[in-house]
Amino acid sequence: MRATLMYSAGDVRVEDVPDSVIKQPTDALVRITASCVCGSDLHPYGSMKAEDGPARMGHEFIGIVEATGSEVTTVKKGDLVVAPFAISDNTCEFCREGLHTSCAHAQANFWDGLADEGGQAEAVRVPLADGTLAKLPVAPDSALIPSLLTLSDVLGTGYHAAVAGGVNERTRVTVIGDGAVGLMAVLSAKRLGAEQIVLMGRHQARTDLGREFGATDVVSARGEEGIEAVRELTGGHGTHVVLEAVGHMPAYEQAVGVVRPGGVISRVGVPQYEQAPVGFGSLFGPNIRLAGGPAPVRAYIEELMPDILNGTIEPGKVFDATTNLDGVPAGYQDMADRKSLKVLINP
């Protein structure tokens, strides 16, 4: 079968690899019908060292179950399913608390942590299939597939940012980043009733989509100029919640600059740093809380799916390019160059 591998920064290839096969009685074999490139894939695309490759890529996919292990009971051959970016049993103590990204099962993992599997491919072995996979009540060629695919990561991640930040009808919100996750954070803040949503982004096509998703204001400036612009929009105080969807230090510093005293910074952009300001002059003095983390998107699928099925939300609009596997390397480059927002893959 064919699959995507990253060899080093800027070097993505689609190659023949051994077919995925069932290895454990809790596995399912899924033929992938839709997947995509994630903004977080661009971190290694910009920095991976050759000695760390080749790595199988892709952690967002929809597909058809082709076979199941002897212990799988919740999905069967022919089911259309979506997989979150984290593998979990959905039954352990942490999963029951809605924290599937900390699942205690020995096989729990992130897709990026499995050396021999990935979602940007023709097929994939899904460990812990009963807990990981969620069935979809549509046909594989449904017009809703792009929106349902966002349940695997970006919609759930944006929603997790908003939930972890405590967004409600009384909150003013700043979203930092106009990538797919940032736009999903805007949509999620709107869904939760935020009275003001300021989107900080520099690409008009993206910020226009952000306005469609619910942003009330757009600030294109960065750094101190951007911080000042947000404060001017919020009576000088900043916003109750900041949803940081980038992961780089300047975005975190911007978040510290625009959050209101007593507010929350909720981070879902994968941090590319380990040290950040948290002391008296940054977070402690103004009673600012730091929240967020890898989104347990499996916990949100059943909650968010009905809004997609009934047309209340259309998160699939973040996909502005479509390709087959042959076009995946170019898709990475287009996203890195900001020519594409998010690339949909039809294997």
Side-chain angles (χ1 to χ4, degrees):
M1 70 177 210
R2 304 176 74 217
T4 302
L5 296 96
M6 186 179 294
Y7 277 77
S8 62
D11 185 2
V12 173
R13 310 176 197 178
V14 178
E15 299 182 340
D16 289 328
V17 300
D19 288 344
S20 292
V21 296
I22 288 176
K23 297 180 179 180
Q24 302 287 340
T26 50
D27 290 347
L29 182 63
V30 174
R31 174 169 56 85
I32 296 172
T33 57
S35 63
C36 53
V37 181
C38 184
S40 65
D41 293 333
L42 300 182
H43 291 312
Y45 189 70
S47 62
M48 179 186 273
K49 298 176 181 178
E51 55 264 33
D52 295 329
R56 289 283 293 275
M57 299 302 296
H59 54 257
E60 306 156 276
F61 62 87
I62 285 173
I64 299 170
V65 176
E66 293 291 330
T68 59
S70 60
E71 295 180 12
V72 175
T73 60
T74 63
V75 296
K76 64 183 185 305
K77 183 176 181 179
D79 285 344
L80 186 70
V81 293
V82 62
F85 67 81
I87 296 158
S88 61
D89 64 11
N90 205 24
T91 60
C92 80
E93 178 180 356
F94 292 108
C95 288
R96 292 196 304 272
E97 294 174 358
L99 198 61
H100 296 69
T101 48
S102 294
C103 178
H105 196 286
Q107 293 183 54
N109 206 336
F110 295 101
W111 285 108
D112 296 343
L114 291 186
D116 58 346
E117 301 294 344
Q120 295 165 13
E122 291 182 317
V124 64
R125 176 182 68 89
V126 180
L128 303 179
D130 279 337
T132 301
L133 297 173
K135 290 195 285 188
L136 298 175
V138 300
D141 60 352
S142 168
L144 295 176
I145 291 299
S147 287
L148 291 167
L149 180 57
T150 67
L151 292 169
S152 65
D153 186 345
V154 289
L155 176 56
T157 294
Y159 191 63
H160 180 60
V163 170
V167 174
N168 58 41
E169 296 86 351
R170 298 178 301 281
T171 49
R172 296 183 177 193
V173 177
T174 298
V175 175
I176 298 177
D178 58 8
V181 171
L183 295 176
M184 293 296 93
V186 170
L187 183 152
S188 298
K190 175 69 173 178
R191 184 180 185 274
L192 292 171
E195 68 176 38
Q196 182 180 24
I197 303 169
V198 181
L199 172 59
M200 302 190 79
R202 305 183 70 178
H203 306 88
Q204 185 172 346
R206 300 181 179 195
T207 57
D208 284 350
L209 184 56
R211 288 187 184 276
E212 184 179 339
F213 283 156
T216 57
D217 304 276
V218 170
V219 170
S220 60
R222 293 180 176 178
E224 290 301 320
E225 184 183 354
I227 290 169
E228 181 60 29
V230 173
R231 289 194 169 272
E232 286 181 5
L233 287 167
T234 56
H237 298 304
T239 56
H240 303 91
V241 183
V242 181
L243 309 180
E244 196 275 277
V246 178
H248 291 291
M249 180 59 74
Y252 176 80
E253 292 171 340
Q254 215 162 263
V256 173
V258 301
V259 68
R260 176 187 180 102
V264 182
I265 297 171
S266 183
R267 301 177 305 162
V268 290
V270 181
Q272 302 303 297
Y273 53 84
E274 285 296 333
Q275 295 181 335
V278 296
F280 196 98
S282 53
L283 302 191
F284 184 85
N287 277 280
I288 293 165
R289 289 163 288 157
L290 190 60
V297 298
R298 184 64 186 86
Y300 302 125
I301 288 178
E302 281 80 8
E303 178 182 353
L304 295 171
M305 191 189 304
D307 280 3
I308 294 174
L309 296 175
N310 66 26
T312 300
I313 58 175
E314 195 174 343
K317 288 185 176 182
V318 296
F319 293 106
D320 59 350
T322 303
T323 186
N324 56 20
L325 282 175
D326 290 330
V328 169
Y332 269 80
Q333 190 61 54
D334 285 347
M335 286 179 60
D337 293 339
R338 301 299 188 266
K339 294 179 181 177
S340 295
L341 169 57
K342 191 167 179 66
V343 175
L344 180 69
I345 304 168
N346 291 322

